[in-house]
Amino acid sequence: MSNEIDQSLEGIEQMPLKVFTEKAYLDYAMYVILDRALPHIGDGLKPVQRRIVYAMSELGLSATAKFKKSARTVGDVLGKFHPHGDSACYEAMVLMAQEFSYRYPLIDGQGNWGSPDDPKSFAAMRYTESRLTAYSQVLLSELGQGTVDWEPNFDGTLEEPSVLPARLPNLLLNGTAGIAVGMATDIPPHNLREVASACIRLLESPKSSIEELCEHVLGPDYPTEAEIVTPREDLLKLYQGGSGSVKLRASFERDRGDIIITALPHQVSGARILEQIAGQMQARKLPMVEDLRDESDHENPTRLVIVPRSNRVDVERLMSHLFATTDLERSYRVNMNVIGLNGRPQVKDLRSMLKEWLEFRFETVRRRLEYRLGKVRDRLHLLDGLLIAFLNIDEVIRIIRTEDEPKAVLMARFSLTQIQADYVLDTKLRQLARLEEIKIRTEQEELEQERQQLETTLGSRQRMKTMIRKEIEADAEKFGDDRRSPIVERAAASALDETELTPSEPVTVILSEKGWARSAKGHEIDPAGLNFKSGDGYLHAARLRSNQSVVFLDSAGRCYSIPAHTLPSARSQGEPLTGRLTPSGGASFVAVLGGDPDQWYLVASDAGYGFLVQLKELYVKNKSGKAMLSLPKGARVLKPSAVTHAETDRVVAITNEGRMLVVPASDLPVLSRGKGNKIIGIPSKRVASGEEFVVAMACVPLGGKLTAYSGKRYITMKASDLDNYHGERGRRGNKLPRGFQKVDSVSVE
């Protein structure tokens, strides 16, 4: 049995599975890289694109021919050169026909070939018709002149060009994108006139640097008229390294207060833009926009209208937000990975790419001239033989009439070559008329002159340069156009934050004793006069703007903040803060602050300790807040007091025993959290036992008044009166007048 197995394996190659899989995958990868996904530097086309263009030229579908069904072209391409899927082949064909996708389209389409809103909405190939554009002659005009190598097609029955003899660097003009195995390419389109000018610069000055070439090639030039906002230095780095990114931004203008978007970035759908903006409007993240309209038509292919809510809306800031949050601004990756003349893929900089294409062009022109020179020499050779026959016409006729082998006799008698003898024998008698000698000699003179010119040109590289330069200039004049994508310096786009997106209106936030909060419009309302739930009442209020954050303090010394516009209306009884915030240890809310983020506050405990802090230091995003005021044992949080000027304000502290101390606010530290410094001296044991504590603390501005309330009685003290209670920080203070030993609250004017 084992012998039979050995015999059956004779002639079969065996290898480890690891080796076989590695080789198979590498073979597949190289096929995808070289024969499918990456373009050739010569004509800038992938194999499928090259085969489509060549097949259409073979079908006679020039720019002046009648349109022919696209299905006919696709059928020829698949049947003769490209045995792959018809849908993929047709999509490649559609891409080369879409003016909004290709900078210089190669195919002229008739029918539905898609739209900028939906490039894949094109009709089936049985409905559309196509032919080549005039620009395609840049790739095809020299094809039958011995300029390129030919290779067998997939079944060996036909031949196809390995590359098309492009007269311009189509790779840079139309760009391309492709994903291979382990590598990809993304080459943006460019302006024909700019690239042609750079080629001529490199022809005349081969040592030109990339910086000098970029004086001609200003940057990519997309089919759309959107602005390129990538900085000039970044574009230069892109061309120096062959990779980077380009940022395109939509163009807009003002029309009677409306914002009109007139151009979108490459391959961006206007419908998609409207969806993105409408989504923000529905989410109430774009209150400054009132309406959207799409007024695009045949005359205005892109006309999207954004209607601001009022004339006070900052249009530049609004558009900056839309650029940052929608596809109105889009980045495009650039990776100039291309198959070079050596057949290997490589990322090339601008100079290398142009230099290598010029080498390709030199070789193409050389082969074209040599091909023509060969044709001229062959024709001169035939004319020499024909002239000999004409000058000896009688003898030639006699030989043809009498000899059995006239060809051999003619060759021997007149020293003709076999080709010349065949040509003489094939010549019709009417071509041997009297006037033919003049025609033959005229043609000989013209061909001889052309031969000399061809030989001179081929022998001089300078003449070759001049010829190539003139041909590039002629093509640039014929097919060139103005730049479509302007390169503009713009500030970087930035999204609006939540405070900017919210309408700025005066509001009053009211905090109840049970920790319920609500927001009332305006600053003129009486917060204590609102209705509260049974068993609840007014505790504290803060006046601020609706686009600002409101800060709450709890009895444990922690602070919390939430956007003011998210609170329920004061027409209701509000909502409990515990539903949105999570105070620890059963702490209750004791105060609310709001207003200018730079406003200073005195934060203190009834143990007599405190410090100064800015409101913005109390903003916090998490629901659990942050520990802000450290409390000694038995101490409680006092309601913060606003500071007018820390350098001149005075801090007034009053205890439950009727003692008052006035100290400069500048004596207190500036902290973002902590215990603070001792303001008025109270023994810690008395604080812990609750015997003595601070009942009121306030900041009095320079020249201000302090009013202390004790039941229904009150006393107002001016600056001179406060001087009597001035002392060093940490002292016990002086006793208030009799009748005001039990102060309930204070107010400052």
Side-chain angles (χ1 to χ4, degrees):
M1 186 68 180
S2 60
N3 291 335
E4 292 179 5
I5 294 176
D6 292 341
Q7 290 174 359
S8 66
L9 295 178
E10 286 184 6
I12 297 177
E13 182 182 1
Q14 299 184 48
M15 66 175 66
L17 182 62
K18 178 177 181 294
V19 175
F20 171 77
T21 52
E22 284 183 1
K23 182 178 183 302
Y25 189 75
L26 282 174
D27 289 345
Y28 166 73
M30 290 307 297
Y31 161 73
V32 174
I33 291 170
L34 300 178
D35 292 327
R36 187 185 295 180
L38 298 190
H40 190 278
I41 194 167
D43 57 11
L45 299 178
K46 302 176 188 178
V48 64
Q49 297 171 323
R50 186 179 302 119
R51 287 163 178 164
I52 290 170
V53 172
Y54 174 63
M56 293 183 73
S57 70
E58 288 295 285
L59 286 170
L61 296 176
S62 66
T64 56
K66 290 183 178 180
F67 288 94
K68 193 168 285 188
K69 285 289 185 183
S70 301
R72 173 66 189 279
T73 298
V74 173
D76 265 33
V77 173
L78 300 187
K80 294 180 178 179
F81 310 113
H82 197 73
H84 296 277
D86 60 340
S87 60
C89 179
Y90 182 49
E91 282 195 28
M93 183 177 175
V94 168
L95 186 69
M96 293 190 289
Q98 292 176 336
E99 293 184 352
F100 50 85
S101 296
Y102 243 53
R103 182 63 177 83
Y104 299 98
L106 297 174
I107 294 175
D108 182 11
Q110 185 169 267
N112 177 13
W113 289 81
S115 66
D117 273 349
D118 187 4
K120 293 189 179 293
S121 62
F122 50 84
M125 58 184 168
R126 61 182 177 273
Y127 299 118
T128 60
E129 296 178 338
S130 57
R131 65 184 179 188
L132 293 170
T133 60
Y135 171 79
S136 64
Q137 290 305 304
V138 167
L139 304 174
L140 295 166
S141 61
E142 299 176 356
L143 187 57
Q145 301 177 25
T147 49
V148 293
D149 295 328
W150 294 73
E151 57 189 22
N153 69 337
F154 63 90
D155 61 2
T157 58
L158 296 169
E159 285 194 332
E160 60 177 315
S162 58
V163 64
L164 296 180
R167 295 163 60 92
L168 291 170
N170 182 64
L171 177 63
L172 282 174
L173 301 186
N174 273 319
T176 191
I179 300 175
V181 178
M183 61 178 63
T185 183
D186 286 283
I187 302 175
H190 291 77
N191 184 269
L192 193 157
R193 290 175 180 169
E194 293 180 6
V195 174
S197 178
C199 288
I200 293 170
R201 174 72 175 265
L202 198 57
L203 268 175
E204 296 176 345
S205 305
K207 294 184 179 180
S208 296
S209 64
I210 294 177
E211 290 82 357
E212 291 172 331
L213 293 177
C214 284
E215 295 174 4
H216 303 271
V217 180
L218 304 179
D221 188 24
Y222 291 87
T224 176
E225 296 178 0
E227 299 174 346
I228 295 176
V229 295
T230 305
R232 180 68 182 162
E233 55 270 19
D234 291 349
L235 290 175
L236 183 59
K237 290 178 182 177
L238 183 155
Y239 289 122
Q240 288 173 336
S243 61
S245 64
V246 177
K247 192 172 291 184
L248 261 68
R249 180 179 292 184
S251 301
F252 71 95
E253 57 189 33
R254 300 293 303 277
D255 183 13
R256 299 178 183 177
D258 295 343
I259 303 168
I260 312 297
I261 298 172
T262 57
L264 295 174
H266 183 47
Q267 294 178 334
V268 169
S269 161
R272 174 65 178 156
I273 293 294
L274 293 179
E275 284 180 16
Q276 291 175 332
I277 299 176
Q280 293 191 36
M281 293 173 65
Q282 291 172 359
R284 298 183 179 180
K285 293 183 177 179
L286 212 57
M288 63 280 292
V289 175
E290 182 177 1
D291 191 20
L292 290 175
R293 293 195 304 273
D294 186 355
E295 297 182 353
S296 304
D297 53 27
H298 290 292
E299 294 183 2
N300 302 289
T302 301
R303 183 179 171 85
L304 306 181
V305 182
I306 302 174
V307 182
R309 190 168 295 276
S310 70
N311 293 330
R312 296 190 301 273
V313 172
D314 186 345
V315 172
E316 294 295 333
R317 189 71 187 93
L318 169 61
M319 291 306 298
S320 179
H321 169 76
L322 293 178
F323 291 143
T325 57
T326 70
D327 286 342
L328 285 174
E329 181 175 294
R330 192 169 176 183
S331 290
Y332 298 83
R333 192 167 67 95
V334 176
N335 181 27
M336 298 201 288
N337 193 3
V338 60
I339 299 173
L341 298 180
N342 58 2
R344 297 180 179 180
Q346 184 183 359
V347 176
K348 300 182 185 293
D349 58 55
L350 178 64
R351 185 177 183 278
S352 300
M353 192 170 285
L354 291 178
K355 185 178 180 182
E356 195 161 339
W357 181 83
L358 286 173
E359 291 176 13
F360 169 80
R361 185 63 189 154
F362 264 102
E363 180 62 16
T364 303
V365 172
R366 184 189 64 77
R367 293 179 64 166
R368 186 189 78 199
L369 296 179
E370 288 179 348
Y371 178 82
R372 177 58 186 165
L373 181 58
K375 291 290 186 182
V376 169
R377 285 172 175 169
D378 290 345
R379 181 61 181 166
L380 283 171
H381 183 60
L382 293 177
L383 289 176
D384 288 343
L386 187 61
L387 187 59
I388 290 172
F390 181 81
L391 295 175
N392 300 277
I393 185 65
D394 295 334
E395 181 68 12
V396 169
I397 293 174
R398 186 193 66 77
I399 292 173
I400 294 174
R401 292 182 62 187
T402 59
E403 296 294 337
D404 294 333
E405 295 289 340
K407 178 179 175 181
V409 177
L410 285 173
M411 292 173 63
R413 173 71 179 80
F414 300 110
S415 300
L416 298 179
T417 64
Q418 184 174 345
I419 297 174
Q420 288 174 323
D422 286 335
Y423 186 66
V424 169
L425 292 173
D426 292 338
T427 302
K428 295 179 181 180
L429 283 174
R430 69 164 176 258
Q431 290 181 291
L432 300 177
R434 177 68 182 167
L435 296 176
E436 283 302 311
E437 180 182 1
I438 299 174
K439 291 182 180 179
I440 293 171
R441 292 191 183 279
T442 302
E443 186 177 355
Q444 275 184 323
E445 290 174 2
E446 291 174 353
L447 290 176
E448 184 63 31
Q449 185 177 0
E450 184 180 356
R451 182 185 65 80
Q452 292 176 0
Q453 290 177 346
L454 289 171
E455 290 177 344
T456 304
T457 303
L458 284 167
S460 170
R461 187 169 178 83
Q462 186 58 44
R463 285 178 178 268
M464 292 272 285
K465 280 186 179 181
T466 303
M467 175 179 285
I468 291 172
R469 179 174 59 80
K470 288 182 178 179
E471 290 176 352
I472 291 175
E473 288 175 345
D475 287 334
E477 179 66 27
K478 184 176 182 181
F479 301 108
D481 57 3
D482 294 333
R483 165 174 282 277
R484 292 187 191 174
S485 302
I487 300 175
V488 186
E489 290 187 12
R490 301 287 188 198
S494 61
L496 297 169
D497 58 34
E498 194 169 4
T499 59
E500 291 178 287
L501 291 172
T502 306
S504 179
E505 300 172 344
V507 293
T508 302
V509 175
I510 302 99
L511 176 66
S512 75
E513 295 173 349
K514 300 292 185 181
W516 287 58
R518 48 184 158 167
S519 175
K521 289 185 178 180
H523 290 168
E524 295 77 22
I525 68 161
D526 176 18
L530 298 176
N531 292 325
F532 293 87
K533 292 175 70 71
S534 177
D536 199 1
Y538 169 75
L539 177 63
H540 201 203
R543 292 177 171 84
L544 62 155
R545 309 291 295 185
S546 58
N547 62 342
Q548 294 175 331
S549 291
V550 59
V551 175
F552 296 96
L553 302 183
D554 71 5
S555 56
R558 299 183 72 84
C559 62
Y560 312 81
S561 64
I562 55 177
H565 71 274
T566 62
L567 291 172
S569 168
R571 287 192 292 267
S572 67
Q573 292 179 334
E575 66 175 71
L577 288 175
T578 51
R580 303 177 63 173
L581 306 173
T582 54
S584 60
S588 59
F589 293 97
V590 297
V592 57
L593 303 175
D596 183 1
D598 294 326
Q599 173 66 50
W600 289 92
Y601 281 92
L602 166 64
V603 178
S605 66
D606 65 356
Y609 290 86
F611 58 88
L612 302 182
V613 65
Q614 277 185 303
L615 182 62
K616 61 185 177 184
E617 296 290 340
L618 307 183
Y619 293 154
V620 59
K621 293 182 179 180
N622 56 326
K623 295 171 63 175
S624 58
K626 77 168 184 177
M628 185 266 301
L629 181 62
S630 299
L631 298 174
K633 185 178 179 181
R636 292 170 298 176
V637 178
L638 295 175
K639 291 177 182 177
S641 176
V643 178
T644 305
H645 295 289
E647 297 81 8
T648 58
D649 280 14
R650 292 191 285 183
V651 176
V652 177
I654 303 174
T655 68
N656 62 328
E657 291 193 348
R659 290 183 174 275
M660 187 171 86
L661 179 66
V662 178
V663 299
S666 57
D667 284 358
L668 299 183
V670 174
L671 302 173
S672 61
R673 64 175 69 192
K675 180 180 177 181
N677 288 357
K678 181 179 285 189
I679 300 172
I680 186 169
I682 303 176
S684 56
K685 290 182 179 181
R686 293 179 64 82
V687 172
S689 63
E691 295 178 40
E692 189 175 354
F693 51 89
V694 176
V695 294
M697 194 175 295
C699 282
V700 181
L702 183 65
K705 301 177 182 178
L706 176 79
T707 302
Y709 298 90
S710 178
K712 294 183 179 180
R713 302 177 64 189
Y714 65 90
I715 181 173
T716 299
M717 290 179 277
K718 300 179 181 179
S720 57
D721 299 324
L722 294 176
D723 290 341
N724 298 325
Y725 296 90
H726 190 88
E728 293 183 6
R729 182 179 57 79
R731 297 291 185 179
R732 292 280 287 158
N734 298 329
K735 281 279 190 178
L736 286 166
R738 183 171 298 178
F740 290 94
Q741 305 295 316
K742 300 294 180 182
V743 174
D744 301 321
S745 61
V746 296
S747 64
V748 177
E749 297 178 11

